[in-house]
Amino acid sequence: MQSFSALLSAVILATSASAFISMPLTKLAPPAGSYLAGLPDADRARAAFLKSFAASGPTTVPASNLAYVQYTTSVGVGSPPTYYNLVVDTGSSNTFVGTGTKYVQTSTSIFTGEDVNVTYGSGYFSGLEYFDQVTLAPGFVITNQSIGDALSYADFEGVDGIVGVGPVILTEGTLSPDTDELIPTVMNNALSQGLIQEEILGVSFAPATSYNDTNGALTYGGIDSSLYIGEITYTPVTATYPAGYYWGINVTDATYGSAGAETTVIPTSTAGIVDTGTTLVLLADNFFDSYMKAIPGAKLDESTGLMTVPASSVSEIQPLNFTVGGTVFSMDAAAQLIPTDQNTAWGLSANKQYGVVSYLGTNSGEGLDFIIGQKFMENFYAVFDTDSNRVGFAYT
Ligand SMILES: *[C@@H]1O[C@H](CO)[C@@H](O)[C@H](O)[C@H]1NC(C)=O
Ligand SMILES: *[C@@H]1O[C@H](CO)[C@@H](O)[C@H](O)[C@H]1NC(C)=O
Ligand SMILES: *[C@@H]1O[C@H](CO)[C@@H](O)[C@H](O)[C@H]1NC(C)=O
Ligand SMILES: *[C@@H]1O[C@H](CO)[C@@H](O)[C@H](O)[C@H]1NC(C)=O
Ligand SMILES: *[C@@H]1O[C@H](CO)[C@@H](O)[C@H](O)[C@H]1NC(C)=O
């Protein structure tokens, strides 16, 4: 499991240290094209798609569910660009390359004179900071983006770095000698350079059906209405800290079970964060205990830090419902469990049933009492709206 939230190391290490899972990198065949070649409607759609790159506005790019535990997207750096598979992280804000494919400098690469060093919930990198040209999509090119070249690092198995799409405040203290300097994020620069009109990121994730499943999409500069159903429910970024430094929100309650027979998991409005760079859904220890106790025979597996569910309880798993902004977002049984055919890829025992909801390592009341990670977002569309300082979710 990954947790790329910056600054959260104290909170997360308790979990990730015990739950460390190594992920061998396996190359897979590219996904079969779904483009309906020859159909006029499809051609018109493609023409509109290509034309959209000429205008500034929302731009959607693919994202890959890699090894089931992280989402990556392809980002070009330099001119001509070298392409890197970068983890999409709303829990940190530095963008860097070099942990897999090495940084290839071109005529657009200019050393800033700064060292850079970021510690994550799992792993770290340090290296040198450059200005360079960053290509997020064809024709969508940010100039003078400050990026890191990772020279020493840990825990970036199979990926080339991170594209950090959290709030810019999370870059504070990462440069040296200018420790007070913030690093404008790719979202900040895309807006200031007129590539997007709104500083909004739309995120579409889905459960993976293969080891590297390009089933996701990121929309830089807006939302893609084809990727969700119904309305988006927005909730403000929380004023509670430390969650408020991140894409932090309040969940007003969470329950396990059907109406009338439910167990309270989160009893009152509580602040936490929405983090694409955390694999699991993590709850404050007391909240997690309420959840686990509601599942007969469920227990914590000390060696992985994951909950295991006995076979007799698997078919009895009830919905886990989070209320956000007045709307209930329900994780059904499948959403709460790791498919057993993925156990080996996760580094888990083949014959056990594990859950995706786990514990944070601290009790509630500390201003960051849950992390809504990738496994939640595989079920819902998510919107990170800097302009209106809010987060949105919708059913898919
Ligand atoms: C995952 O798939 C994407 C899209 O096909 C590809 O660009 C990327 O290189 C793949 N990543 C790995 C680690 O194989
Ligand atoms: C990076 O920062 C961490 C935490 O502040 C520190 O322990 C480590 O020595 C730093 N590493 C480098 C290479 O500067
Ligand atoms: C590049 O961006 C930095 C901030 O990241 C800014 O200080 C500098 O003036 C910019 N340079 C150019 C040439 O725009
Ligand atoms: C949780 O949501 C599910 C799906 O909408 C629903 O069936 C269930 O009754 C809800 N539970 C509670 C306690 O409202
Ligand atoms: C959000 O949760 C925190 C506790 O984590 C609470 O103190 C605060 O009042 C809540 N905010 C709202 C608007 O309910």
Side-chain angles (χ1 to χ4, degrees):
M1 277 84 55
Q2 304 287 353
S3 176
F4 290 122
S5 318
L7 309 180
L8 268 170
S9 40
V11 178
I12 303 306
L13 275 177
T15 301
S16 61
S18 59
F20 180 74
I21 280 163
S22 70
M23 292 165 295
L25 178 63
T26 309
K27 286 253 182 210
L28 296 171
S34 58
Y35 177 60
L36 304 172
L39 285 183
D41 283 347
D43 282 347
R44 274 191 289 277
R46 181 171 169 78
F49 182 67
L50 294 174
K51 220 175 123 202
S52 72
F53 290 129
S56 64
T59 298
T60 298
V61 300
S64 301
N65 191 326
L66 179 64
Y68 311 107
V69 298
Q70 61 203 328
Y71 262 89
T72 64
T73 192
S74 179
V75 172
V77 179
S79 178
T82 299
Y83 284 89
Y84 302 89
N85 291 318
L86 304 185
V87 173
V88 178
D89 190 12
T90 61
S92 71
S93 307
N94 292 69
T95 293
F96 69 91
V97 301
T99 59
T101 301
K102 295 300 159 204
Y103 180 36
V104 178
Q105 294 186 34
T106 66
S107 60
T108 56
S109 313
I110 301 165
F111 179 50
T112 64
E114 303 281 332
D115 289 345
V116 58
N117 179 5
V118 187
T119 304
Y120 299 93
S122 51
Y124 78 97
F125 88 92
S126 68
L128 300 174
E129 191 78 5
Y130 289 81
F131 292 122
D132 211 333
Q133 187 170 302
V134 167
T135 300
L136 294 179
F140 191 105
V141 182
I142 298 166
T143 55
N144 191 39
Q145 173 66 47
S146 182
I147 58 144
D149 174 18
L151 298 176
S152 75
Y153 46 84
D155 290 356
F156 292 98
E157 184 84 33
V159 298
D160 300 322
I162 287 181
V163 55
V165 286
V168 67
I169 189 70
L170 296 176
T171 64
E172 191 172 15
T174 63
L175 294 179
S176 138
D178 285 331
T179 50
D180 293 338
E181 201 173 312
L182 299 182
I183 303 170
T185 66
V186 291
M187 292 297 293
N188 295 158
N189 284 330
L191 183 74
S192 65
Q193 294 177 18
L195 296 168
I196 57 176
Q197 304 309 314
E198 297 177 300
E199 198 174 331
I200 296 174
L201 179 72
V203 174
S204 172
F205 288 171
T209 55
S210 62
Y211 191 83
N212 181 14
D213 189 348
T214 307
N215 64 3
L218 304 176
T219 302
Y220 295 110
I223 58 179
D224 186 329
S225 57
S226 69
L227 297 173
Y228 63 90
I229 55 170
E231 300 288 311
I232 295 171
T233 299
Y234 288 100
T235 196
V237 169
T238 188
T240 300
Y241 286 84
Y245 287 120
Y246 299 83
W247 284 109
I249 62 168
N250 274 54
V251 159
T252 51
D253 72 78
T255 60
Y256 174 82
S258 55
E262 73 266 28
T263 298
T264 298
V265 175
I266 299 181
T268 56
S269 181
T270 305
I273 67 171
V274 184
D275 182 13
T276 59
T278 292
T279 308
L280 303 174
V281 176
L282 301 179
L283 303 176
D285 297 4
N286 48 320
F287 298 159
F288 176 70
D289 281 347
S290 303
Y291 167 71
M292 189 168 66
K293 283 200 179 91
I295 303 172
K299 56 179 200 281
L300 203 57
D301 177 56
E302 297 296 341
S303 68
T304 60
L306 295 175
M307 183 182 76
T308 56
V309 180
S312 56
S313 287
V314 170
S315 62
E316 306 297 322
I317 298 273
Q318 300 294 308
L320 174 62
N321 295 359
F322 293 88
T323 308
V324 178
T327 300
V328 174
F329 292 94
S330 180
M331 293 177 74
D332 64 14
Q336 293 170 58
L337 299 172
I338 296 174
T340 49
D341 62 1
Q342 294 177 9
N343 282 9
T344 308
W346 287 64
L348 301 169
S349 298
N351 54 357
K352 286 186 186 168
Q353 177 66 66
Y354 297 90
V356 304
V357 180
S358 191
Y359 63 97
L360 204 52
T362 50
N363 279 331
S364 63
E366 300 197 354
L368 200 168
D369 295 341
F370 59 82
I371 300 179
I372 287 178
Q374 175 190 334
K375 292 295 153 188
F376 178 91
M377 280 174 272
E378 287 182 3
N379 304 282
F380 303 105
Y381 191 67
V383 181
F384 300 88
D385 182 345
T386 303
D387 289 348
S388 301
N389 205 30
R390 61 186 183 170
V391 174
F393 290 121
Y395 273 81
T396 56

